[in-house]
Amino acid sequence: MHAYRDQYATVFNGGEDVVLIAISTDTPEALASWASDDDFPFLMASDPGGEVGMRYGAARSRNLFVVDPEGVITHTATPFREVDPTSYEELDAAIDAIAGAGGD
């Protein structure tokens, strides 16, 4: 999560025309405390039963999905390797492709 935070301004356009939602099985209270303590600039959602994760096949590892404004998944990184700089290059290209296609 710290890698996402540290790359937020560059890769996620500082939240401009991009919504980053981290989904975890942690409780809403735990996520709110963690987000506040570590100054995460993005949304965090609780999925206590793991239902959302299971629907996306992301129940046990860190995965990343880029979803366009119409709700179509345009890029997946399963698992997402947050310590690998090339992961961010691929993510940046996926976000730019949506922006270039007029995805506001």
Side-chain angles (χ1 to χ4, degrees), residues 17-66:
D17 297 325
V18 175
V19 178
L20 172 60
I21 304 170
I23 302 174
S24 169
T25 56
D26 293 326
T27 66
E29 297 79 15
L31 291 173
S33 176
W34 188 27
S36 175
D37 290 348
D38 289 15
D39 199 28
F40 294 127
F42 44 82
L43 302 172
M44 298 182 94
S46 177
D47 179 26
E51 293 174 29
V52 173
M54 285 186 278
R55 286 184 184 189
Y56 284 90
R60 294 277 179 221
S61 62
R62 288 202 168 110
N63 299 284
L64 188 135
F65 302 90
V66 176

Side-chain angles (χ1 to χ4, degrees), residues 4 8 11-23 41-45 63-69 72 74 91 95 98-99 103-104:
Y4 296 132
Y8 189 74
V11 176
F12 301 104
N13 300 326
E16 183 72 28
D17 297 325
V18 175
V19 178
L20 172 60
I21 304 170
I23 302 174
F42 44 82
L43 302 172
M44 298 182 94
N63 299 284
L64 188 135
F65 302 90
V66 176
V67 182
D68 73 11
V72 175
T74 61
L91 176 58
I95 292 171
I98 291 172
D104 297 306

